[in-house]
Amino acid sequence: MKKKIIVGILFLLIMAATNIAAILHQENIGDIGVTLHIEADAGNDTNLQVYYTQVNYKDQGFSVDHMVNVAVKTSDDKTDYEAALPGDVSAVRVNPANVFMDDVKISKVYLAYKDNVVEEYPLTDAYYNPAERYYSWDVNYDKTKTIVTDARHLRNLILKILVCAIIDILLIVIWLKLDNILIIPRDIVKSRKLIGSLAKNDFKQKFAGSYLGTIWAFIQPVITVLVYWFVFEKALNAGTQSTKAGIAIPFILWLIAGLVPWFFFSEVLACGTNAMIEYNYLVKKVVFKISTLPVVKALSSLFVHLFFIAFTVILYSVYQYFPTLYTLQLIYYSFCMFVLALGLIYALSAVMVFFRDMGQIVNVLLQIGMWMTPIMWNMDAMAGRIPGWAMTILKANPMYYIVNGYRDALYNNMWFWERPGMTAYFWVFTTIVLVGGMAIFRRLQQHFADVL
């Protein structure tokens, strides 16, 4: 009883801390789209090129990596044209493509968020470049942030209340069901030596009979990285500029930081889903703790992942991006991914016993998930081009947090607590997945032997 009271107090402290963090959290408006309105008439059909810089990337200046094309039609009347930009824009530059500025008469330019005008930019206040004939203005980011924040105040308040309610309910449910939730973790702790032995054996068995043996586990991912790098950096270089916009480091480094975690995640799900089928001879043994088998599969895949983390750090060092304290976060993000994958394969491996098509469904979902995760395209540079609701859906993918975290650890030099909203969301989502996955497994495991 005393132990349960202590645990209850601990849960209350966690609940209070998370609620305070949620209430104090400030939204990053860089992920929110604003609109630049350009009122103009044109003597010829053309494209207005709208260049922009962002608060955190001022040193990069105006470049094609941060440019939006706006189609302009021949017209004697003033027409309102729109360019979608990220919320943290710090300066804009407007010039027509392939025609002189005299052919496009701009009469009014202003920035807006929905129906709220943020700032107007009179032509008389613009910097005008007579050689290239373009106008540019500085954007008052503080003013933009204030207006966007005020406009979203009620929405954010409701969202914070909802987040606090979800976290509180989740913690209360976990506390009330703690004894049942801890059944599988206790089995794992008791069988840790056996799990380690089975994981090593499972890793070796994947390549048993081949001449190179376990070396194939390391060759295949390296070749995959090189193929993607060649296709996106060399073969399709011109056609993939928009997907690589805003990347400030060599593309191979940016690419491998996304591929390495995805290799592990996809390997765990693909192999872990089939765990009960593969080890059916152990499932039928009454004395064997079958709840440890998903952990065996996850650990088996971890060996290769640890090698590729070391390989990635070495590759970054070759390009003069040496390890720092931030690099230690690779351990944290690997743990995050391990817990997420483990929760998923507990549920998937249990369902697979009764529904054998689950393995094929997982493979299809992994293919879709790879392209929904910003592994080979830069989501930050797409903030002004992708609708806000679509951006929200893409960022709801928990692997976005992991991939972004690997890049933060390797070159962005950001701590995970500097992204409190995403960190809280990831752990709430992952906790639900882990607890739910174990619950599904416990509910179905008594029928495994009968079906297998």
Side-chain angles (χ1 to χ4, degrees):
M1 186 67 180
K2 185 177 179 181
K3 185 177 179 181
K4 193 165 186 176
I5 292 174
I6 294 173
V7 173
I9 293 172
L10 179 61
F11 270 73
L12 285 174
L13 292 174
I14 296 173
M15 189 183 299
T18 52
N19 286 347
I20 292 172
I23 292 170
L24 296 179
H25 174 60
Q26 297 295 319
E27 192 171 22
N28 176 20
I29 73 163
D31 300 332
I32 301 167
V34 293
T35 306
L36 186 72
H37 292 261
I38 305 168
E39 193 175 90
D41 57 85
N44 296 288
D45 288 355
T46 184
N47 286 324
L48 278 176
Q49 294 176 329
V50 179
Y51 294 86
Y52 62 91
T53 61
Q54 293 171 271
V55 172
N56 295 326
Y57 303 98
K58 286 184 178 179
D59 56 327
Q60 294 182 10
F62 295 115
S63 69
V64 293
D65 290 339
H66 294 84
M67 186 266 287
V68 178
N69 272 313
V70 179
V72 175
K73 299 296 182 181
T74 304
S75 174
D76 294 329
D77 299 324
K78 294 176 182 178
T79 306
D80 184 47
Y81 298 99
E82 298 181 356
L85 305 177
D88 60 348
V89 60
S90 60
V92 292
R93 165 182 150 179
V94 180
N95 60 284
N98 304 321
V99 296
F100 293 115
M101 180 59 83
D102 294 341
D103 293 329
V104 178
K105 297 178 181 179
I106 299 176
S107 55
K108 186 177 181 181
V109 178
Y110 66 95
L111 193 69
Y113 172 69
K114 296 185 184 287
D115 296 327
N116 302 286
V117 176
V118 176
E119 195 172 12
E120 291 192 25
Y121 306 110
L123 297 184
T124 54
D125 294 344
Y127 168 76
Y128 178 67
N129 185 307
E132 298 183 38
R133 300 186 179 184
Y134 67 76
Y135 291 103
S136 66
W137 298 265
D138 287 331
V139 176
N140 187 336
Y141 169 70
D142 291 331
K143 187 175 181 181
T144 306
K145 184 176 181 181
T146 300
I147 291 177
V148 171
T149 302
D150 289 345
R152 295 168 69 91
H153 179 72
L154 180 59
R155 168 193 172 277
N156 288 343
L157 180 61
I158 294 172
L159 187 60
K160 287 179 178 181
I161 293 173
L162 182 61
V163 168
C164 289
I166 292 172
I167 292 174
D168 293 348
I169 292 171
L170 180 62
L171 289 172
I172 291 171
V173 170
I174 291 175
W175 180 65
L176 292 175
K177 300 289 185 179
L178 192 59
D179 290 337
N180 290 332
I181 292 172
L182 290 178
I183 291 175
I184 291 180
R186 287 188 187 121
D187 290 344
I188 294 171
V189 172
K190 290 177 182 178
S191 307
R192 58 187 180 277
K193 291 183 179 179
L194 177 61
I195 290 173
S197 177
L198 287 173
K200 292 177 184 177
N201 185 65
D202 183 87
F203 176 66
K204 294 176 182 177
Q205 286 298 316
K206 289 179 183 178
F207 306 95
S210 60
Y211 286 108
L212 295 180
T214 56
I215 295 177
W216 282 114
F218 307 99
I219 293 176
Q220 290 172 346
V222 169
I223 292 176
T224 304
V225 170
L226 292 175
V227 168
Y228 281 128
W229 170 78
F230 177 78
V231 169
F232 280 85
E233 183 69 4
K234 303 298 180 182
L236 300 177
N237 186 44
T240 58
Q241 287 303 313
S242 61
T243 64
K244 297 185 292 183
I247 298 175
I249 64 171
F251 184 66
I252 183 66
L253 300 183
W254 188 87
L255 178 65
I256 198 170
L259 283 176
V260 166
W262 182 261
F263 284 154
F264 172 75
F265 181 74
S266 58
E267 174 75 10
V268 172
L269 257 63
C271 296
T273 300
N274 201 45
M276 298 301 116
I277 308 297
E278 186 176 340
Y279 286 101
N280 64 81
Y281 59 93
L282 292 177
V283 174
K284 296 175 183 179
K285 290 187 177 182
V286 179
V287 295
F288 186 81
K289 297 289 186 181
I290 61 174
S291 58
T292 61
L293 291 177
V295 184
V296 169
K297 282 295 183 181
L299 282 177
S300 174
S301 300
L302 188 61
F303 298 138
V304 176
H305 182 62
L306 293 176
F307 165 80
F308 274 99
I309 286 179
F311 174 80
T312 301
V313 172
I314 293 171
L315 183 62
Y316 267 74
S317 299
V318 170
Y319 280 85
Q320 306 299 308
Y321 289 86
F322 297 104
T324 64
L325 284 176
Y326 295 99
T327 310
L328 294 175
Q329 291 182 109
L330 292 174
I331 300 172
Y332 163 74
Y333 285 111
S334 294
F335 173 74
C336 291
M337 185 167 47
F338 185 90
V339 176
L340 173 65
L342 192 61
L344 289 171
I345 61 174
Y346 264 110
L348 294 172
S349 62
V351 174
M352 179 71 171
V353 175
F354 305 93
F355 181 60
R356 300 298 175 93
D357 290 345
M358 181 56 70
Q360 302 303 322
I361 293 174
V362 167
N363 289 333
V364 171
L365 291 177
L366 285 173
Q367 292 179 27
I368 297 173
M370 183 173 186
W371 294 102
M372 287 187 66
T373 307
I375 295 172
M376 286 164 280
W377 56 281
N378 186 11
M379 185 180 289
D380 292 337
M382 305 293 283
R385 308 174 194 179
I386 299 178
W389 60 268
M391 189 71 76
T392 301
I393 292 174
L394 290 171
K395 289 190 175 182
N397 173 6
M399 281 304 293
Y400 166 78
Y401 176 74
I402 301 295
V403 169
N404 212 38
Y406 269 64
R407 289 171 178 150
D408 285 346
L410 288 165
Y411 71 88
N412 279 336
N413 293 337
M414 285 187 66
W415 295 107
F416 67 88
W417 57 76
E418 293 182 62
R419 301 184 186 274
M422 286 302 300
T423 300
Y425 165 74
F426 175 84
W427 280 112
V428 168
F429 181 89
T430 300
T431 301
I432 293 173
V433 168
L434 182 63
V435 173
M438 288 182 173
I440 292 172
F441 189 91
R442 289 200 314 273
R443 180 66 61 90
L444 297 178
Q445 70 175 5
Q446 58 185 324
H447 304 293
F448 288 169
D450 296 334
V451 175
L452 294 173

